[in-house]
Amino acid sequence: MDIQGKQTTLAGRDLLTLADLQASELQDLLQLAIDLKQGKLKPQAQKTLGLLFSKASTRTRVSFSAAIFQLGGQVLDLNPSVTQVGRGEPIADTARVLSRYLDILAIRTFAQSDLETYAHYADIPVINALTDLYHPCQILADLLTLQEQFNTLKGLTLVYLGDGNNVAHSLMLGCALAGVNVRIATPDDYRPLPAVVEKATHLAAQHQSQVEVLADPQAAVVGANALYTDVWASMGQESEADSRIPLFQPYQVNEDLLSRADSQAIVLHCLPAHRGEEITDGVMEGAQSKVWDQAENRLHAQKALLASLLGLAD
């Protein structure tokens, strides 16, 4: 059964980065997630989702699997180590073959260019489930969490503290589209890529929001509605973890830093967390933490994304 009364322009498209969306499409997607979460809509379709993950995953793997099951479909976990892509089959060949078996494909890989190659050769929607450059599905859940907490997105200020990584990149793009002011506070040598900052700044100018990149974490958090952090060394950077700790210590989301934000500010973390490093245990378990709501919202946001891309929201 299709979702009645809902329209989407996403059917059959890919989601490789949040910059693929228009602001209105992002808003519609978040509203669809809310409706699905509240049980107002119950689409059912026999569709097959493939998960092709070259990196470890808990939340993304499980939430996508649960989402497609709840939509009436099924999931195939295509572990690269036991499929031919892991033995060197060209991406173009794999993409064309999988298009004959699946209805939609979520990929977690290293290079954004590999993801783009899959999308180019696949005849089915391709979702970015994380690359070294972007993590768009995480930010859909983040924006949904902000929407639930504040009943609006326009005019909020979110501060991200830590490494200028894939999460930071997607936060800038997603917040800019949604009209959320975003400040990225990070050491000078770990700033987000200038090209992504430029793209996000351009989007923000269109939607009455601002993008700032700062070095001073205490100045960055003043008046913030949300403080957000991530691990200081992402997947593939584990060898740098110990050397990064002294550089990133001032950016730790702790009780002192939180006290400088708005009194009603919430705390977010995309998980997994290294407690005692980028965030203290007290803040993570504190009353202002919305980390677990944020993690749950991965399910609802991705369920809405699947329904939209599969045309179930038409």
Side-chain angles (χ1 to χ4, degrees), residues 100-265:
R100 305 296 180 99
Y101 304 147
L102 306 171
D103 297 292
I104 192 165
L105 179 63
I107 297 173
R108 172 168 284 212
T109 189
F110 294 88
Q112 183 77 11
S113 58
D114 286 349
L115 177 75
E116 291 168 355
T117 302
Y118 275 109
H120 178 77
Y121 286 99
D123 295 327
I124 56 175
V126 171
I127 298 172
N128 181 350
L130 180 144
T131 65
D132 289 346
L133 188 59
Y134 294 119
H135 195 1
C137 293
Q138 175 63 56
I139 278 59
L140 292 177
D142 301 338
L143 293 173
L144 178 57
T145 307
L146 288 172
Q147 177 78 39
E148 288 179 330
Q149 293 301 314
F150 297 103
N151 296 315
T152 186
L153 291 174
K154 292 286 187 181
L156 295 177
T157 297
L158 179 145
V159 178
Y160 171 90
L161 301 112
D163 186 25
N165 59 14
N166 49 6
V167 171
H169 289 158
S170 287
L171 272 173
M172 288 190 296
L173 295 174
C175 287
L177 276 172
V180 177
N181 302 309
V182 59
R183 303 173 191 156
I184 306 295
T186 190
D188 287 338
D189 291 340
Y190 295 89
R191 290 188 165 208
L193 293 176
V196 180
V197 175
E198 181 180 0
K199 182 183 294 185
T201 301
H202 178 72
L203 287 172
Q206 298 176 32
H207 301 289
Q208 294 75 54
S209 58
Q210 294 183 324
V211 174
E212 298 178 82
V213 180
L214 308 90
D216 185 345
Q218 296 192 2
V221 302
V222 173
N225 303 109
L227 302 189
Y228 193 122
T229 191
D230 188 11
V231 295
W232 291 337
S234 299
M235 285 182 283
Q237 300 172 335
E238 288 82 3
S239 63
E240 303 175 27
D242 290 342
S243 63
R244 289 187 177 210
I245 290 176
L247 295 171
F248 283 93
Q249 189 62 43
Y251 301 86
Q252 181 188 70
V253 177
N254 52 36
E255 289 80 353
D256 177 65
L257 207 61
L258 181 57
S259 72
R260 299 170 187 271
D262 185 86
S263 61
Q264 301 301 311

